[in-house]
PDB file of all heavy atoms in Angstrom:
ATOM      1  N   LEU A 300      26.321   3.719  11.349  1.00  0.00           N
ATOM      2  CA  LEU A 300      24.859   3.767  11.363  1.00  0.00           C
ATOM      3  C   LEU A 300      24.352   5.151  11.749  1.00  0.00           C
ATOM      4  O   LEU A 300      23.368   5.647  11.177  1.00  0.00           O
ATOM      5  CB  LEU A 300      24.313   2.714  12.339  1.00  0.00           C
ATOM      6  CG  LEU A 300      22.780   2.623  12.442  1.00  0.00           C
ATOM      7  CD1 LEU A 300      22.154   2.301  11.089  1.00  0.00           C
ATOM      8  CD2 LEU A 300      22.366   1.582  13.480  1.00  0.00           C
ATOM      9  N   GLU A 301      25.021   5.799  12.684  1.00  0.00           N
ATOM     10  CA  GLU A 301      24.589   7.127  13.129  1.00  0.00           C
ATOM     11  C   GLU A 301      24.616   8.131  11.985  1.00  0.00           C
ATOM     12  O   GLU A 301      23.698   8.945  11.822  1.00  0.00           O
ATOM     13  CB  GLU A 301      25.479   7.627  14.278  1.00  0.00           C
ATOM     14  CG  GLU A 301      25.331   6.857  15.584  1.00  0.00           C
ATOM     15  CD  GLU A 301      26.028   5.504  15.561  1.00  0.00           C
ATOM     16  OE1 GLU A 301      26.808   5.254  14.600  1.00  0.00           O
ATOM     17  OE2 GLU A 301      25.785   4.691  16.475  1.00  0.00           O
ATOM     18  N   ASN A 302      25.659   8.059  11.164  1.00  0.00           N
ATOM     19  CA  ASN A 302      25.760   8.960  10.017  1.00  0.00           C
ATOM     20  C   ASN A 302      24.674   8.669   8.987  1.00  0.00           C
ATOM     21  O   ASN A 302      24.110   9.591   8.374  1.00  0.00           O
ATOM     22  CB  ASN A 302      27.136   8.844   9.363  1.00  0.00           C
ATOM     23  CG  ASN A 302      28.254   9.318  10.270  1.00  0.00           C
ATOM     24  OD1 ASN A 302      28.039  10.133  11.167  1.00  0.00           O
ATOM     25  ND2 ASN A 302      29.460   8.805  10.052  1.00  0.00           N
ATOM     26  N   LEU A 303      24.379   7.386   8.815  1.00  0.00           N
ATOM     27  CA  LEU A 303      23.324   7.013   7.874  1.00  0.00           C
ATOM     28  C   LEU A 303      21.972   7.541   8.340  1.00  0.00           C
ATOM     29  O   LEU A 303      21.185   8.065   7.533  1.00  0.00           O
ATOM     30  CB  LEU A 303      23.270   5.496   7.717  1.00  0.00           C
ATOM     31  CG  LEU A 303      22.114   4.950   6.869  1.00  0.00           C
ATOM     32  CD1 LEU A 303      22.139   5.529   5.463  1.00  0.00           C
ATOM     33  CD2 LEU A 303      22.159   3.417   6.827  1.00  0.00           C
ATOM     34  N   LEU A 304      21.691   7.441   9.623  1.00  0.00           N
ATOM     35  CA  LEU A 304      20.414   7.920  10.140  1.00  0.00           C
ATOM     36  C   LEU A 304      20.277   9.431   9.966  1.00  0.00           C
ATOM     37  O   LEU A 304      19.176   9.935   9.706  1.00  0.00           O
ATOM     38  CB  LEU A 304      20.265   7.536  11.614  1.00  0.00           C
ATOM     39  CG  LEU A 304      20.192   6.027  11.896  1.00  0.00           C
ATOM     40  CD1 LEU A 304      20.037   5.766  13.381  1.00  0.00           C
ATOM     41  CD2 LEU A 304      19.063   5.378  11.107  1.00  0.00           C
ATOM     42  N   ILE A 305      21.362  10.155  10.099  1.00  0.00           N
ATOM     43  CA  ILE A 305      21.341  11.606   9.862  1.00  0.00           C
ATOM     44  C   ILE A 305      20.993  11.880   8.397  1.00  0.00           C
ATOM     45  O   ILE A 305      20.179  12.765   8.091  1.00  0.00           O
ATOM     46  CB  ILE A 305      22.701  12.236  10.225  1.00  0.00           C
ATOM     47  CG1 ILE A 305      22.928  12.160  11.742  1.00  0.00           C
ATOM     48  CG2 ILE A 305      22.769  13.689   9.753  1.00  0.00           C
ATOM     49  CD1 ILE A 305      24.318  12.558  12.183  1.00  0.00           C
ATOM     50  N   LYS A 306      21.582  11.115   7.507  1.00  0.00           N
ATOM     51  CA  LYS A 306      21.301  11.257   6.070  1.00  0.00           C
ATOM     52  C   LYS A 306      19.829  10.967   5.770  1.00  0.00           C
ATOM     53  O   LYS A 306      19.157  11.726   5.050  1.00  0.00           O
ATOM     54  CB  LYS A 306      22.189  10.295   5.271  1.00  0.00           C
ATOM     55  CG  LYS A 306      21.803  10.112   3.806  1.00  0.00           C
ATOM     56  CD  LYS A 306      22.639   9.015   3.171  1.00  0.00           C
ATOM     57  CE  LYS A 306      22.079   8.587   1.824  1.00  0.00           C
ATOM     58  NZ  LYS A 306      22.195   9.643   0.799  1.00  0.00           N
ATOM     59  N   LEU A 307      19.310   9.886   6.333  1.00  0.00           N
ATOM     60  CA  LEU A 307      17.922   9.505   6.069  1.00  0.00           C
ATOM     61  C   LEU A 307      16.950  10.520   6.650  1.00  0.00           C
ATOM     62  O   LEU A 307      15.891  10.792   6.064  1.00  0.00           O
ATOM     63  CB  LEU A 307      17.641   8.115   6.632  1.00  0.00           C
ATOM     64  CG  LEU A 307      18.417   6.961   5.984  1.00  0.00           C
ATOM     65  CD1 LEU A 307      18.062   5.634   6.650  1.00  0.00           C
ATOM     66  CD2 LEU A 307      18.134   6.891   4.485  1.00  0.00           C
ATOM     67  N   GLU A 308      17.283  11.095   7.781  1.00  0.00           N
ATOM     68  CA  GLU A 308      16.431  12.130   8.362  1.00  0.00           C
ATOM     69  C   GLU A 308      16.397  13.356   7.456  1.00  0.00           C
ATOM     70  O   GLU A 308      15.334  13.968   7.258  1.00  0.00           O
ATOM     71  CB  GLU A 308      16.960  12.519   9.750  1.00  0.00           C
ATOM     72  CG  GLU A 308      16.232  13.683  10.409  1.00  0.00           C
ATOM     73  CD  GLU A 308      14.767  13.402  10.695  1.00  0.00           C
ATOM     74  OE1 GLU A 308      14.380  12.218  10.793  1.00  0.00           O
ATOM     75  OE2 GLU A 308      14.001  14.379  10.808  1.00  0.00           O
TER      76      GLU A 308
END
Side-chain angles (χ1 to χ4, degrees):
L300 181 59
E301 292 76 11
N302 295 335
L303 174 58
L304 295 180
I305 292 171
K306 167 187 167 68
L307 295 179
E308 175 63 22

